[in-house]
Amino acid sequence: MTSVFSQIEKPNIIYILADDLGIGDVSAFNKNSKIQTKNIDALAKEGMRFTDAHSGSAVCTPTRYGILTGRYAWRTHLQNGVLWGYDTALIARDRFTLANLFKNKGYNTACIGKWHLGLGWQKDKNDQVDFSKPLSTGPNSAGFDYSYIISASLDIPPYVYIENQRVTTKKIENIKENKGAGFWREGPIGAGQKHADVLDDFTNKAITYLTNRAKNQTEPFFLYLPLTAPHTPILPTSEFEGKSGINAYADFVLKTDAVLGQIKAALKQTGLDKNTILVFTSDNGASPMSDFKTLEAKDHFSSAGYRGSKADIYEGGHRIPFIIKWPGKIAPNSVSSQTISLTDFMATAASIIGTKLSDQQAEDSYSLLPILLNKAEDFKRESIIHHSIDGKFAIRKGDYKLILARGSGGWSVPTESDAIKLKLPPVQLYNLKTDIKEQNNLASSLPAVVTELTALLKKQIESGRSTEGRDQKNDVIVRY
């Protein structure tokens, strides 16, 4: 496969992943939003906004796996939940990644931010983690030339910076929780670094990386920038405290929006903006830790009217903002209603830079390039699989969404245990065209649709892929 563009035109690519940012928290996606995200909104006007984009899972780790591999994470041993800071690497050493894809085409690759995909910690003779030893696996072993990360979220130890798979400080201290669910303050990360400083530290590292790349334009670059915000601990810095007039979470969303503004400013200042694709999205829906009660009292709804939130199989758990800007290629202020997954970026990148993916690579990734170039009729995705924190499945095809769960599959009411007590039916079927809030379960009245979608889900799970190609093996037996 040849590239869409010549070698000299190959674009730089920056992929910014917000953490727990709800689709309703972005004013470009929610006309009734009480949080005005001016920088994200400006990016939407400069590029293409997707209104039916979905994270690969309703929680952090599996979505990140899907972005970097183009494969649903439930095909691995991670069948529910997320990894923790000391867990081993989820990305197998022989798994082809997005970073490998770019690196093989002459790109410089960097990962700066929250990793949350497991690491190869080494142990001492007492079987304790030895922070003086380099990690055996991490971003660099997954194809990144440079990495500067934390292992997981800032409320998951260890609280250390890791640069090129080496811990930069050995001092580990716990953080303390303030009163109020999900609000954390001023716990130290490493030697003297405050949690509130981490987002700025990553932003500054990214700007330094961009400045250095601008000085060396002999090769294009790919920067993966997974932010720590607005996930807990909710830590708006002083200039943002009280800025929203709602609560600390809304302030933190504004801080997250400002990070995008800083990256855009750095691109313009260095002249890199003219040939850089910029993606902005979120890893799942908004978390209840944002204090929905206070937000909704101010008429702000983080899920923008969709049912559920982070962790859930309902739309609020995985329908997320997705914007892509590509100067000179994507029509400004354009909107796509195509159903897409964050797993689709790997095939998209392959199309852009001219790499043919093998049958063993990106098994659940469809190229968005036809949509981006205004040829949406050539986009191949016809269905999408969703997954919740409890490991519950849903499959969507056209207007219909089949959920193989009695309840939310996550944290929202009814949880699965509640749904069993309420004797709710074992499957749910919704027509999202007429029932976007997922209130009218059609499973009993449309058994043929339930049968069709169940068979399609079974096929895509057992085939080891949802794209065309030879069947592949899942890493484990997948229960559904």
Side-chain angles (χ1 to χ4, degrees):
M1 180 185 293
T2 58
S3 173
V4 176
F5 309 103
S6 67
Q7 177 68 32
I8 197 168
E9 291 177 317
K10 280 184 180 175
N12 308 307
I13 299 178
I14 301 175
Y15 195 108
I16 302 177
L17 182 68
D19 196 355
D20 289 6
L21 181 69
I23 190 169
D25 293 326
V26 179
S27 41
F29 289 83
N30 179 9
K31 65 181 181 180
N32 297 314
S33 176
K34 295 301 184 288
I35 307 173
Q36 296 303 302
T37 49
K38 63 179 183 179
N39 294 295
I40 306 174
D41 293 2
L43 184 67
K45 290 179 180 178
E46 295 162 354
M48 180 175 286
R49 174 170 57 93
F50 285 77
T51 60
D52 198 1
H54 299 264
S55 53
S57 169
V59 283
C60 297
T61 299
T63 288
R64 291 157 200 271
Y65 178 91
I67 291 169
L68 293 181
T69 66
R71 184 184 191 227
Y72 292 130
W74 46 259
R75 298 194 188 280
T76 73
H77 66 82
L78 188 68
Q79 297 294 292
N80 53 67
V82 299
L83 296 185
W84 296 88
Y86 292 106
D87 285 342
T88 56
L90 184 61
I91 299 176
R93 278 191 170 273
D94 59 352
R95 171 56 56 177
F96 190 73
T97 69
L98 189 57
N100 295 140
L101 177 80
F102 285 114
K103 193 170 182 178
N104 289 352
K105 278 291 184 175
Y107 275 66
N108 184 273
T109 56
C111 171
I112 299 172
K114 171 184 165 180
W115 182 239
H116 211 172
L117 283 164
L119 295 164
W121 298 101
Q122 296 202 58
K123 303 288 186 71
D124 60 21
K125 61 182 180 181
N126 296 316
D127 200 35
Q128 299 296 310
V129 170
D130 188 338
F131 293 100
S132 69
K133 292 181 179 179
L135 280 68
S136 60
T137 55
N140 297 76
S141 62
F144 288 100
D145 294 308
Y146 175 76
S147 64
Y148 188 81
I149 65 166
I150 56 172
S151 60
S153 304
L154 280 170
D155 44 16
I156 299 176
Y159 308 119
V160 295
Y161 289 116
I162 303 163
E163 186 169 28
N164 292 329
Q165 298 186 189
R166 281 189 174 274
V167 174
T168 63
T169 175
K170 301 172 189 174
K171 188 176 181 181
I172 314 286
E173 296 183 44
N174 290 327
I175 58 179
K176 296 180 180 179
E177 186 178 7
N178 264 9
K179 293 180 180 179
F183 295 88
W184 304 66
R185 294 284 179 183
E186 297 304 312
I189 174 168
Q193 291 292 325
K194 301 295 185 182
H195 277 72
D197 297 332
V198 174
L199 184 58
D200 283 338
D201 288 345
F202 285 143
T203 304
N204 292 333
K205 277 285 183 183
I207 291 171
T208 298
Y209 175 80
L210 295 176
T211 302
N212 291 336
R213 297 321 306 166
K215 295 175 182 177
N216 177 20
Q217 296 193 40
T218 58
E219 57 184 1
F221 66 83
F222 168 61
L223 170 60
Y224 172 54
L225 183 57
L227 307 180
T228 54
H231 190 288
T232 52
I234 295 170
L235 295 170
T237 45
S238 57
E239 69 269 33
F240 289 93
E241 289 183 345
K243 189 171 184 178
S244 70
I246 304 175
N247 68 359
Y249 173 78
D251 296 341
F252 206 26
V253 170
L254 292 178
K255 169 67 176 177
T256 307
D257 178 70
V259 170
L260 173 61
Q262 290 177 268
I263 297 299
K264 290 179 66 181
L267 287 173
K268 187 172 183 179
Q269 185 176 3
T270 56
L272 292 170
D273 58 323
K274 299 177 180 63
N275 190 37
T276 298
I277 294 174
L278 182 55
V279 177
F280 182 89
T281 188
S282 177
D283 63 347
N284 44 248
S287 169
M289 304 295 271
S290 63
D291 187 6
F292 290 154
K293 184 177 180 180
T294 297
L295 292 168
E296 292 172 10
K298 296 285 189 176
D299 291 323
H300 177 81
F301 296 86
S302 290
S303 295
Y306 296 107
R307 185 177 183 181
S309 57
K310 176 183 177 177
D312 297 341
I313 202 65
Y314 297 127
E315 292 294 290
H318 47 79
R319 189 180 286 238
I320 40 87
F322 186 90
I323 302 168
I324 181 166
K325 174 188 176 182
W326 189 356
K329 300 296 189 296
I330 293 176
N333 206 26
S334 52
V335 180
S336 172
S337 60
Q338 295 281 340
T339 305
I340 69 166
S341 170
L342 294 191
T343 60
D344 291 336
F345 193 69
M346 191 162 177
T348 306
S351 297
I352 291 171
I353 66 176
T355 293
K356 183 176 175 57
L357 294 166
S358 74
D359 281 328
Q360 295 80 32
Q361 298 167 351
E363 293 96 322
D364 301 300
S365 187
Y366 289 85
S367 176
L368 303 177
L369 191 61
I371 304 174
L372 304 180
L373 299 183
N374 200 28
K375 297 179 181 178
E377 64 275 9
D378 295 330
F379 181 53
K380 301 296 185 183
R381 178 179 285 284
E382 294 182 347
S383 63
I384 186 171
I385 295 175
H386 307 303
H387 206 234
S388 77
I389 193 171
D390 288 349
K392 300 301 182 182
F393 280 94
I395 185 166
R396 161 104 173 270
K397 183 180 180 183
D399 296 332
Y400 288 104
K401 175 182 175 183
L402 176 70
I403 299 173
L404 299 189
R406 296 174 184 269
S408 69
W411 299 333
S412 293
V413 176
T415 64
E416 200 65 11
S417 59
D418 291 337
I420 291 172
K421 292 176 184 176
L422 292 169
K423 297 182 179 180
L424 296 179
V427 298
Q428 302 170 65
L429 178 69
Y430 299 105
N431 183 331
L432 295 185
K433 185 176 182 179
T434 59
D435 182 23
I436 199 63
K437 294 181 181 293
E438 297 172 278
Q439 297 295 313
N440 184 22
N441 187 355
L442 302 172
S444 61
S445 59
L446 294 174
V449 178
V450 172
T451 299
E452 176 193 353
L453 293 182
T454 302
L456 182 60
L457 177 65
K458 180 177 185 291
K459 179 181 184 298
Q460 293 188 10
I461 289 175
E462 296 181 356
S463 297
R465 68 181 320 120
S466 57
T467 54
E468 293 182 358
R470 288 180 297 176
D471 286 1
Q472 299 298 311
K473 289 185 177 180
N474 297 318
D475 299 351
V476 296
I477 296 173
V478 179
R479 308 291 183 187
Y480 56 95

